Amino acid sequence: MTPLHSDLHARDKVRDLRASKIREVANAGMARAEVLAFWFGEPDQVTPAFIRRAGVDALNAGDTFYTQNLGLPELRATLAAYVSRLHRPVDDANIAVTNSGMSALMITTQALVGPGDRVVAVTPLWPNLVEIPQVMGATVDCVALQFGPRGWTLDLERLLSRLTPGTRAIYINSPNNPTGWTMSANEQRAVLEHCQRLGIWIIADDAYERLYFEGNTGACAPAFLDLADAGTRLVVTNTFSKSWLMTGWRLGWLVAPPTLVADIAKLIEYNTSCAPGFVQRAGIVAVREGEPTIAQTVARFRASRDFLHEQLRLLPAVVAVAPPGAMYAFFRVRDMADSLDFCKRLVSEAGLGLAPGIAFGPEGEGFIRWCFASDVARLADGIERLRGFLAHQAR
């Protein structure tokens, strides 16, 4: 007997979400051992031994029970001290621990954005950040960066003109995935002042703040937290994944006004209840003892960035500018009209896995993303495969 209502699909807002085009490329090559994969935003090294050991020790001690919604008090205090050292003084009450940086972004959006709201996003951008407001029924107005001889730049006046009265929030990821663009302190100050006049929330994704190549080792990218005070409508999300090489641990945090954190606790309860205790124990050790790891990672990624861009510039079909932050080369390929098809053929014909620019919105079409968080020798192999593929295409 056929039910009267036989539609077994998700609601329309969910069905309309775009599927990951990075996954579409990866699915075509993940089963092939000979493919050199640089499509995901993930370092090629395992989590350092001292962090893994802390997690194992916590498990062996029986740390397998529920924890507080907002995170272990010790981890919240450790993160508050870390943020205070890098930026401005914050208290434990400003910190919420989440199951990944992605969870921090989703829960922040659930807290602040609802059906019919209008939000603004600076793009090209990691697709999750454009899609999650739409899960909540919001509309997203994208303001595109511009690519030129100096790399990716922001038309500040254009952005401010789109931040109109009634706008609920703006999403900014800096250093940016995929472009590596990094917002200057002056640009941040202008956006902050404008948003505070109009009552617009700033949601800053600072996942790559320590992967910043301008200045001395250990430097941090310019951040809204450097400029804002306790009364600012600002939420900053972060993750353990990049700085401490902990992608698989799924641990993140956010910094927000204490009044918002109290409601964030409810949303954490209704989403995941809490982050695992043994993972948080590893996080405590990572923050307290991990500065040498971050310094080594930044130095390694800087060398990889410099090598890759030097090689990319030798390819006549490629236009590339080294980014100031993050861990991606986002470069143009001349006369490439379909980056998804290009990347699929690159996998099948050259055994090289890169991410298509279209995955990051229409502003990214014509570009390719290459994650350079990898060994230089492996990058060199990839360059040779790209060089051979482009030479074959030119015949």
Side-chain angles (χ1 to χ4, degrees):
M1 181 176 176
T2 303
L4 181 61
H5 301 289
S6 58
D7 186 356
L8 304 179
H9 295 98
R11 58 190 176 89
D12 289 345
K13 283 291 183 184
V14 175
R15 293 179 67 187
D16 290 343
L17 297 175
R18 51 178 162 155
S20 170
K21 291 181 172 59
I22 303 173
R23 284 283 179 183
E24 189 173 338
V25 174
N27 289 341
M30 288 181 74
R32 295 173 50 190
E34 76 278 9
V35 172
L36 274 179
F38 301 96
W39 38 48
F40 296 141
E42 185 169 48
D44 66 337
Q45 292 182 323
V46 300
T47 304
F50 73 95
I51 299 174
R52 285 183 279 135
R53 187 162 49 248
V56 171
D57 289 347
L59 273 174
N60 287 337
D63 194 349
T64 60
F65 297 96
Y66 292 132
T67 66
Q68 294 92 332
N69 293 137
L70 288 172
L72 295 173
E74 187 177 359
L75 178 54
R76 294 178 72 197
T78 300
L79 286 168
Y82 172 79
V83 172
S84 297
R85 177 172 60 81
L86 288 180
H87 303 294
R88 63 167 171 83
V90 301
D91 192 74
D92 304 17
N94 296 105
I95 304 292
V97 176
T98 60
N99 300 70
S100 75
M102 180 64 247
S103 181
L105 287 162
M106 187 72 224
I107 288 170
T108 298
T109 303
Q110 289 173 342
L112 297 178
V113 177
D117 283 340
R118 174 183 178 272
V119 304
V120 171
V122 177
T123 56
L125 187 60
W126 183 46
N128 297 38
L129 266 181
V130 177
E131 297 299 310
I132 59 175
Q134 298 183 81
V135 174
M136 303 308 300
T139 59
V140 183
D141 184 8
C142 296
V143 178
L145 300 169
Q146 299 168 319
F147 183 73
R150 295 186 295 118
W152 293 89
T153 56
L154 172 69
D155 184 335
L156 180 60
E157 292 306 315
R158 181 164 171 260
L159 174 61
L160 295 178
S161 72
R162 303 278 275 277
L163 293 170
T164 55
T167 301
R168 182 60 175 163
I170 178 173
Y171 291 80
I172 298 177
N173 170 222
S174 168
N176 171 263
N177 174 11
T179 65
W181 164 78
T182 301
M183 197 174 198
S184 72
N186 286 337
E187 290 170 332
Q188 289 176 338
R189 185 175 291 105
V191 169
L192 183 67
E193 292 173 354
H194 184 86
C195 287
Q196 293 315 292
R197 283 196 300 272
L198 298 182
I200 300 170
W201 281 91
I202 298 172
I203 301 173
D205 175 8
D206 283 6
Y208 300 95
E209 68 168 353
R210 301 302 302 276
L211 302 185
Y212 183 59
F213 308 116
E214 305 295 314
N216 298 323
T217 299
C220 193
F224 284 100
L225 273 172
D226 297 327
L227 308 171
D229 58 34
T232 302
R233 291 192 175 200
L234 170 69
V235 180
V236 176
T237 66
N238 217 312
T239 177
F240 284 76
S241 292
K242 316 301 181 183
S243 298
W244 294 284
L245 311 178
M246 294 176 68
T247 51
W249 295 75
R250 313 314 299 136
L251 187 63
W253 79 92
L254 61 84
V255 184
T259 49
L260 180 61
V261 170
D263 287 323
I264 290 287
K266 303 173 194 174
L267 290 169
I268 293 174
E269 169 65 25
Y270 301 144
N271 278 272
T272 60
S273 291
C274 57
F278 64 92
V279 173
Q280 294 188 63
R281 292 292 174 191
I284 292 169
V285 172
V287 177
R288 289 180 177 170
E289 303 177 19
E291 284 302 309
T293 294
I294 294 174
Q296 291 166 10
T297 297
V298 171
R300 181 170 177 259
F301 287 2
R302 180 187 283 113
S304 295
R305 177 201 66 163
D306 293 347
F307 171 81
L308 181 61
H309 277 83
E310 179 183 349
Q311 296 301 310
L312 287 171
R313 290 191 186 104
L314 298 177
L315 303 177
V318 169
V319 181
V321 179
M327 54 189 195
Y328 310 104
F330 199 61
F331 56 93
R332 174 179 285 155
V333 178
R334 303 182 198 275
D335 301 322
M336 179 184 65
D338 186 338
S339 60
L340 179 60
D341 176 71
F342 181 93
C343 285
K344 285 182 175 180
R345 288 189 292 111
L346 198 56
V347 169
S348 63
E349 299 174 28
L352 179 61
L354 304 180
I358 191 63
F360 306 94
E363 306 90 341
E365 186 57 283
F367 291 82
I368 299 294
R369 191 192 76 174
W370 186 324
C371 178
F372 56 71
S374 188
D375 182 80
V376 168
R378 195 164 175 270
L379 294 171
D381 190 353
I383 281 288
E384 288 308 309
R385 297 186 189 202
L386 178 61
R387 179 180 286 111
F389 180 81
L390 292 172
H392 180 75
Q393 295 290 112
R395 291 174 191 161

